[in-house]
Amino acid sequence: MSDLPDLPVTFRPNRTRVILLTSGVAIFVVISGVALLLEQLNPGEQLSFFLVGALIFWVLALLARVRVVADESGVTVVNIASRRRLEWAEILRVNLRPGDPWVFLDLSDGSSLPALGIQPGIAKQSAIADARALRALAEARAGQGPERLLS
């Protein structure tokens, strides 16, 4: 167990996050600048430019918030528009197959949950290492109920 990451640990696509947030700020600044530079726009039209810039930033910020947080009692998967808390016993398998856009968690209820916080897009080797770490944590904690955690 010494090669397991210390808990709590957060897995997220950091490079993608930086690109998304930087792009969001840049887009907002450019659109807002255009609204201020176009003198023929009335205040309502300028406001609409600011709102469009803010909306684009908000969407990119939602895309950047994805993460997987593992702690002693389980895993929290934060995707674009959802958050789900899982106990370790609910996770049967952590999958990242060649060509997968992100990790999938096979769950004890027979379903599969995408975990967008681990995605090989820009940083493939980092995503593979994160998937292996999460898999090792899930395997090490499989079947650990409250009674086993106390012993």
Side-chain angles (χ1 to χ4, degrees), residues 64-121:
R65 81 183 201 118
V66 299
R67 65 187 175 277
V68 177
V69 181
D71 59 32
E72 292 293 335
S73 61
V75 174
T76 302
V77 177
V78 179
N79 287 333
I80 296 168
S82 67
R83 174 187 305 257
R84 183 161 175 196
R85 178 72 185 164
L86 301 166
E87 299 299 319
W88 285 112
E90 293 178 78
I91 302 170
L92 300 179
R93 183 162 169 81
V94 177
N95 294 309
L96 181 59
R97 295 173 293 259
D100 280 351
W102 39 72
V103 161
F104 289 90
L105 304 176
D106 292 340
L107 305 178
S108 59
D109 66 1
S111 67
S112 181
L113 176 67
L116 280 63
I118 303 175
Q119 49 184 270

Side-chain angles (χ1 to χ4, degrees), residues 22-73:
T22 302
S23 298
V25 168
I27 290 168
F28 178 77
V29 167
V30 167
I31 290 175
S32 299
V34 167
L36 294 173
L37 291 174
L38 294 176
E39 296 173 1
Q40 69 271 24
L41 295 179
N42 66 44
E45 293 168 328
Q46 285 180 326
L47 178 63
S48 69
F49 271 71
F50 290 120
L51 291 176
V52 167
L55 179 64
I56 291 171
F57 177 80
W58 179 71
V59 169
L60 294 175
L62 278 177
L63 293 171
R65 81 183 201 118
V66 299
R67 65 187 175 277
V68 177
V69 181
D71 59 32
E72 292 293 335
S73 61

